[in-house]
Amino acid sequence: MGRSIFVDDTVQKYIEELIKSNKWFTGVIIGQVTVQKDYVVHVARTPDPVEDEALEENDESDSRESEPKKKVVRPNSLQQLDDKWVSTHAKQVSRMLPGGLSVIGLFVLAPTSMLQASQAKLKQMMFTVHKSLTKNPLLVSSNEITDRILLQVDSTTRRLTCTILDVADGKSTPRPADWKYQSHNSRWTRLDSQLSVNIPVTVPRESKMQSSLLKQIQTGLSMFCESVRQSVMSIDGVIREGSEPLASPIVSESSRKGGGGGGGKGGKDKGAKGDHIDNAVCNVKLFLPLSSSTTHEVPEICPSVATLRVCGTITIRAFVPAKATVEDAVQAVKTDIVRSLYARCELLCEEDDVTEDKEDGSVYNPPIRYFCPSPNSTIDFCDYAFQDEKQEEMLQRIQELLDTNVEILEDVEKHATDEDTFSFLSSVPEDDVNVISSSSSHQSASIALKTYIGAAIGGFVALVASGISYTYLSE
């Protein structure tokens, strides 16, 4: 008997609808992998290629030479599909998931003959997706389970073949797995939190001209991410043993009486629709470790050209199955912190006009986080939007990438106002290398980066309320 994979029964209806289209598809599987069981809450087909966007940017260089995009038609078969197109979709979907949920595999729907001719291609696609999702070491935990699911649906016979592949081992062979549908009324526990961060980052002189802004941020965040992994977390005000079941009688009772966590404009009652039941909601707090006072290391002198500071408050949300342990919940929250923090920085750095030199006083508002309830399960998805984006654009993006219809967006953060921006800029003395950025509301999230070369300051880009302010320096 193979590994058991418990699948929301709405996935079955989704796959049956795809079969009726008489086309072949690939897509991502969203859920949670644990030592004992795997859970699948959603699958989303990969959009058809329309432009040559699958080519990933070279992260090792700041070069942004524009190249004309080539028009791409839909491949005639799986073997002609570009692996990078699928991995790009998986990466975009990964940003839209709360803690506890990840892209845990791929599915493919095709006729018998196409499936038989594409086995090597499918295996290679699994490894490509894993490489893309683990490219940033900050997003990979040391104890991550590397088994991933490959579901093959034969559109001719309607037969499902599910296998497990260890994507960390290039020589691994697929192992059989048992794909089991279950009622979508299964209960998940939601964990809510907010975290204030104040992270100094030093840019060494030798890396200034060699590393992109994103690389500099990634390097600087590594120590903070390590402290997050070593932190202690309280659940509804109580620090508990990791081996305990999360849904203990005490926690369940406090969740019912407490009425849910913060970070939103009221809770959502999915039970009112009849098809869903309410999630238990836990409020969590993280306690980051202090540096040890018993050890005194000799400081290392490192010439630097800039100091960055990441500071502000971010909104956290994670989901775990009803039978999860306290340790499962802790890891889900920590994953969401790192993923959300990095997603904001990454999306900002992908904006061409942000990473180029700007005139003095240019101000940008980076993306803030929104949540949206999944219409097919009791979990939420999320997305990040810049100030000039309309909600209609966000809903269209969610529909395209997750292949699901959502109508409600929960705004847990806000964009900076002119008053916020002025307060931030006026709080930073020109001769002070310490940057102070304050949020005007507990629901706002801000990440501020400021750079210095001695007392000389060039033009700057200030981004307040869930973003990055980066001062560009004249040499």
Side-chain angles (χ1 to χ4, degrees):
M1 181 178 179
R3 187 183 182 95
S4 293
I5 302 170
F6 294 90
V7 187
D8 196 305
D9 60 3
T10 58
V11 173
Q12 182 179 18
K13 300 174 184 178
Y14 177 84
I15 292 176
E16 289 174 353
E17 289 298 318
L18 291 183
I19 293 176
K20 294 178 183 178
S21 66
N22 294 321
K23 294 182 179 180
W24 64 268
F25 297 103
T26 61
V28 296
I29 298 174
I30 299 170
Q32 186 179 103
V33 176
T34 67
V35 176
Q36 293 84 11
K37 301 176 181 179
D38 295 344
Y39 299 90
V40 174
V41 297
H42 187 68
V43 296
R45 60 179 169 180
T46 300
D48 291 338
V50 292
E51 290 179 336
D52 192 16
E53 295 177 350
L55 298 178
E56 298 181 348
E57 296 179 358
N58 183 4
D59 293 336
E60 301 300 326
S61 172
D62 280 337
S63 174
R64 291 182 176 269
E65 296 180 359
S66 59
E67 297 180 359
K69 293 181 178 179
K70 301 176 182 179
K71 196 120 181 183
V72 177
V73 296
R74 191 175 196 269
N76 294 324
S77 67
L78 278 171
Q79 290 176 299
Q80 298 177 5
L81 182 64
D82 188 352
D83 294 357
K84 291 183 178 180
W85 182 260
V86 179
S87 64
T88 298
H89 177 229
K91 182 179 179 180
Q92 292 171 332
V93 168
S94 181
R95 291 173 180 164
M96 308 173 81
L97 303 179
L101 298 179
S102 303
V103 174
I104 61 173
L106 299 177
F107 82 90
V108 57
L109 185 152
T112 307
S113 57
M114 188 182 297
L115 288 176
Q116 292 176 347
S118 305
Q119 292 304 301
K121 173 72 173 182
L122 294 176
K123 184 176 180 180
Q124 179 58 42
M125 195 178 297
M126 294 278 286
F127 288 114
T128 302
V129 169
H130 173 70
K131 182 179 179 180
S132 174
L133 295 179
T134 58
K135 194 171 185 178
N136 179 8
L138 298 182
L139 304 178
V140 182
S141 60
S142 58
N143 57 349
E144 181 180 12
I145 301 173
T146 54
D147 285 343
R148 294 295 179 264
I149 303 169
L150 175 60
L151 177 68
Q152 301 182 58
V153 183
D154 191 321
S155 59
T156 303
T157 64
R158 293 178 175 259
R159 179 184 177 184
L160 275 65
T161 303
C162 185
T163 55
I164 296 291
L165 187 68
D166 184 358
V167 290
D169 181 5
K171 298 181 180 179
S172 64
T173 57
R175 310 186 306 274
D178 193 8
W179 184 268
K180 296 182 178 181
Y181 289 113
Q182 64 176 2
S183 170
H184 66 280
N185 284 331
S186 58
R187 184 185 295 273
W188 288 70
T189 299
R190 194 181 96 185
L191 303 119
D192 284 343
S193 183
Q194 288 186 333
L195 178 68
S196 296
V197 297
N198 193 338
I199 312 166
V201 178
T202 300
V203 181
R205 182 177 301 276
E206 62 271 12
S207 67
K208 175 63 174 70
M209 306 308 296
Q210 299 175 2
S211 300
S212 65
L213 173 58
L214 182 59
K215 279 290 186 181
Q216 294 171 10
I217 297 172
Q218 178 178 322
T219 301
L221 291 180
S222 59
M223 186 175 297
F224 171 76
C225 293
E226 183 59 32
S227 69
V228 168
R229 295 189 177 100
Q230 296 177 5
S231 63
V232 176
M233 191 175 81
S234 68
I235 301 176
D236 289 331
V238 180
I239 297 177
R240 304 166 57 195
E241 292 293 332
S243 58
E244 291 182 27
L246 177 63
S248 68
I250 296 178
V251 174
S252 298
E253 185 67 21
S254 64
S255 297
R256 294 191 190 99
K257 292 181 179 180
K265 293 186 176 180
K268 52 186 182 295
D269 183 11
K270 295 185 177 180
K273 298 181 180 180
D275 294 333
H276 300 279
I277 59 177
D278 292 331
N279 290 325
V281 181
C282 297
N283 291 309
V284 300
K285 290 184 179 180
L286 255 74
F287 302 90
L288 300 177
L290 295 174
S291 57
S292 175
S293 59
T294 59
T295 59
H296 300 278
E297 298 180 357
V298 178
E300 179 182 353
I301 299 177
C302 178
S304 62
V305 294
T307 298
L308 318 178
R309 186 168 293 273
V310 181
C311 55
T313 303
I314 57 178
T315 303
I316 305 302
R317 183 169 297 178
F319 289 84
V320 292
K323 295 183 179 181
T325 65
V326 171
E327 179 61 25
D328 294 332
V330 169
Q331 292 303 321
V333 171
K334 292 178 179 180
T335 297
D336 193 67
I337 292 172
V338 177
R339 182 191 290 168
S340 176
L341 185 62
Y342 186 77
R344 303 168 194 266
C345 298
E346 187 176 43
L347 287 168
L348 182 66
C349 292
E350 287 178 359
E351 291 292 296
D352 291 343
D353 55 350
V354 170
T355 54
E356 297 174 355
D357 288 347
K358 294 296 178 181
E359 297 178 357
D360 293 356
S362 298
V363 177
Y364 296 86
N365 280 300
I368 61 173
R369 196 176 195 183
Y370 290 82
F371 288 98
C372 59
S374 168
N376 298 324
S377 66
T378 57
I379 55 92
D380 296 339
F381 298 119
C382 72
D383 196 14
Y384 299 88
F386 288 90
Q387 188 174 31
D388 59 351
E389 289 188 87
K390 299 179 180 179
Q391 288 202 2
E392 292 78 7
E393 295 174 322
M394 293 180 60
L395 294 173
Q396 182 179 1
R397 180 166 60 240
I398 293 171
Q399 180 176 351
E400 180 182 10
L401 295 177
L402 295 175
D403 202 19
T404 187
N405 293 317
V406 293
E407 300 177 355
I408 302 173
L409 291 175
E410 181 185 356
D411 52 339
V412 295
E413 298 171 354
K414 70 173 188 177
H415 289 289
T417 64
D418 293 340
E419 182 179 352
D420 294 327
T421 304
F422 176 79
S423 175
F424 168 74
L425 295 176
S426 61
S427 67
V428 185
E430 290 189 2
D431 58 349
D432 190 351
V433 298
N434 294 317
V435 178
I436 301 175
S437 176
S438 60
S439 300
S440 61
S441 166
H442 73 281
Q443 287 188 335
S444 68
S446 78
I447 307 168
L449 278 76
K450 197 141 181 92
T451 65
Y452 297 85
I453 283 186
I457 301 180
F460 61 83
V461 178
L463 300 143
V464 188
S466 181
I468 297 177
S469 77
Y470 191 85
T471 302
Y472 291 93
L473 311 170
S474 59
E475 297 298 333

